[in-house]
């Protein structure tokens, strides 16, 4: 996939509704399986009311239910929804029938959750769109009875644009999707010059792995004010993370000028980011083209080779990513 400035600058960008609070669907149950194409498109499932008067995600088992198959975590923090749910990453390489999952409502909830886990010998892992395929969240075959996933996309998904800054910025909760962030920016005539192809990714998940693709200047391209080249992490001006202060876990906000922010910009899921602020520039129209007939031998030819090479796409467009679908 490669992206380049739209050849028709007068053509308006499509308008999308803001993302609503969502949780991911779980697909390992007795209901018919989605096709792989359908799974990619489905993205997230709706919330369902329960007889308890609260809510649980579709196909989830609330804590305390007789249907639960995992030992209930003791003295779990009040006010944080806890439920047993299946886990499936986008490529179906990591699948679990059940793991404890919770939905913290605020960054302070995350702190309470992590300190509780530290006291009781549990491991907390933030969960976003489940679009990864590396064992940063869950390891296939590893015990999960003392692992709890914290779903960031249900409540920790705020988006706020400051269009008058220099540069303009957008602040977002860990579970805000890239679509929600760029939609909010677009409403102020702002945008980001490079993004991964899927817009359903959570911002914290994208930053954890340094996002996808390459963002380099195309041949002869100059950087526009507010924009950067490089990975999505280059846009971070501030972030808030859960850190150890010597006695307990607490929230700490890091400015981009703080050297301690460096390992957090691409932390590979080894910490919990609760919010992030990114800089933005004038809205940037992109045209996305996908090619499925290029062999890997041609695409990844040595530098200077002819043909449809990754090098040639970077030179002509600057933005490019190669996607391998494990099930093809």
């Amino acid at each position: 996939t490669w992206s380049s400035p739209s050849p028709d600058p007068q053509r308006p960008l499509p308008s999308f509704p803001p993302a609503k609070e969502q949780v991911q669907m779980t697909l390992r149950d007795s209901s018919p399986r989605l096709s792989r194409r359908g799974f990619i498109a489905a993205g997230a499932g709706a919330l369902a009311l329960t007889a308890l008067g609260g809510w649980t995600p579709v196909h989830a088992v609330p804590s305390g239910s007789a249907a639960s198959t995992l030992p209930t975590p003791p003295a779990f923090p009040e006010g944080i929804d806890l439920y047993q749910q299946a886990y499936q990453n986008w490529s179906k390489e990591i699948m679990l029938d059940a793991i404890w999952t919770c939905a913290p409502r605020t960054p302070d909830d995350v702190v309470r959750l992590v300190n509780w886990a530290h006291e009781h010998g549990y491991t907390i892992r933030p969960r976003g769109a489940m679009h990864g395929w590396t064992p940063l969240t869950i390891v296939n075959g590893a015990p999960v009875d003392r692992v709890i996933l914290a779903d960031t996309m249900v409540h920790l998904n705020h988006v706020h644009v400051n269009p008058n800054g220099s540069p303009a910025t957008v602040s977002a909760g860990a579970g805000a999707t890239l679509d929600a962030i760029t939609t909010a920016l677009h409403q102020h005539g702002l945008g980001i010059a490079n993004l991964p192809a899927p817009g359903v990714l959570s911002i914290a998940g994208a930053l954890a792995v340094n996002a996808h693709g390459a963002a380099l200047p195309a041949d002869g391209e100059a950087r526009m004010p507010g924009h950067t080249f490089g990975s999505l992490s280059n846009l971070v001006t501030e972030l808030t993370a859960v850190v150890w202060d010597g006695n307990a876990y607490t929230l700490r906000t890091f400015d981009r000028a703080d050297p301690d922010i460096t390992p957090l910009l691409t932390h590979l899921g080894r910490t919990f980011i609760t919010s992030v602020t990114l800089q933005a520039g004038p809205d940037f129209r992109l045209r996305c083209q996908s090619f499925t007939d290029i062999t890997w031998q041609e695409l990844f030819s040595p530098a200077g080779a002819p043909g449809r090479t990754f090098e040639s796409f970077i030179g002509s467009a600057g933005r490019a990513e190669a996607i391998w679908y494990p099930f093809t």
Side-chain angles (χ1 to χ4, degrees):
T1 301
W2 67 279
S3 304
S4 63
S6 169
D8 182 5
Q10 300 304 316
R11 186 165 60 110
L13 289 174
S15 177
F16 300 97
K20 296 181 179 179
E21 289 188 342
Q22 297 175 329
V23 293
Q24 288 296 319
M25 291 182 65
T26 55
L27 305 176
R28 280 195 94 177
D29 59 15
S30 58
S31 59
R33 296 292 185 91
L34 287 178
S35 67
R36 292 181 174 111
R37 180 183 298 273
F39 174 68
I40 294 173
L47 300 179
L49 293 177
T50 70
L52 301 176
W55 65 270
T56 54
V58 174
H59 308 306
V61 178
S63 173
S65 168
S68 174
T69 59
L70 296 172
T72 301
F76 192 76
E78 294 184 1
I80 302 176
D81 299 299
L82 177 67
Y83 41 92
Q84 182 179 297
Q85 193 175 32
Y87 179 95
Q88 176 177 292
N89 76 327
W90 77 284
S91 57
K92 300 186 180 181
E93 291 173 300
I94 303 175
M95 299 176 69
L96 289 176
D97 288 321
I99 186 170
W100 285 115
T101 306
C102 66
R105 296 176 179 272
T106 67
D108 287 337
D109 277 353
V110 176
V111 172
R112 289 197 298 125
L113 177 66
V114 172
N115 280 312
W116 168 87
H118 177 66
E119 179 181 350
H120 289 83
Y122 278 74
T123 296
I124 302 298
R125 288 281 181 264
R127 196 191 88 178
M130 300 185 289
H131 194 79
W133 58 87
T134 56
L136 301 176
T137 304
I138 294 175
V139 178
N140 264 346
V144 296
D145 57 319
R146 301 188 77 82
V147 176
I148 298 178
L149 303 184
D151 190 341
T152 63
M153 302 187 76
V154 183
H155 302 296
L156 303 176
N157 54 15
H158 74 273
V159 179
H160 174 72
V161 178
N162 177 13
N164 300 318
S166 183
T169 58
V170 56
S171 297
T177 65
L178 299 183
D179 275 346
I181 291 171
T182 52
T183 297
L185 285 170
H186 176 61
Q187 293 169 353
H188 294 274
L190 299 167
I192 297 172
N194 176 65
L195 285 171
V200 297
L201 308 185
S202 70
I203 182 61
L207 290 173
V209 296
N210 220 14
H212 303 207
L216 302 169
D219 292 343
E221 181 182 4
R223 182 178 62 85
M224 295 193 300
H227 291 291
T228 71
F229 295 117
S231 69
L232 194 63
S233 296
N234 277 20
L235 297 171
V236 174
T237 63
E238 183 180 280
L239 59 79
T240 299
V242 178
V243 301
W244 181 255
D245 69 0
N247 298 300
Y249 287 98
T250 186
L251 293 173
R252 178 180 165 188
T253 298
F254 297 81
D255 183 83
R256 186 56 182 253
D258 185 343
D260 287 344
I261 198 175
T262 304
L264 302 178
L265 294 174
T266 306
H267 57 80
L268 301 180
R270 307 312 294 177
T271 191
F272 202 123
I273 302 296
T274 59
S275 64
V276 63
T277 300
L278 308 173
Q279 69 182 55
D283 216 351
F284 198 91
R285 286 183 171 80
L286 297 175
R287 177 184 60 182
C288 182
Q289 281 188 282
S290 297
F291 302 92
T292 58
D293 62 340
I294 307 175
T295 66
W296 67 266
Q297 293 94 337
E298 178 182 4
L299 184 65
F300 298 117
S301 295
R308 297 173 297 175
T309 66
F310 201 78
E311 180 187 40
S312 70
F313 290 127
I314 292 295
S316 62
R319 280 52 122 188
E321 65 178 320
I323 303 177
W324 171 58
Y325 292 101
F327 40 73
T328 61

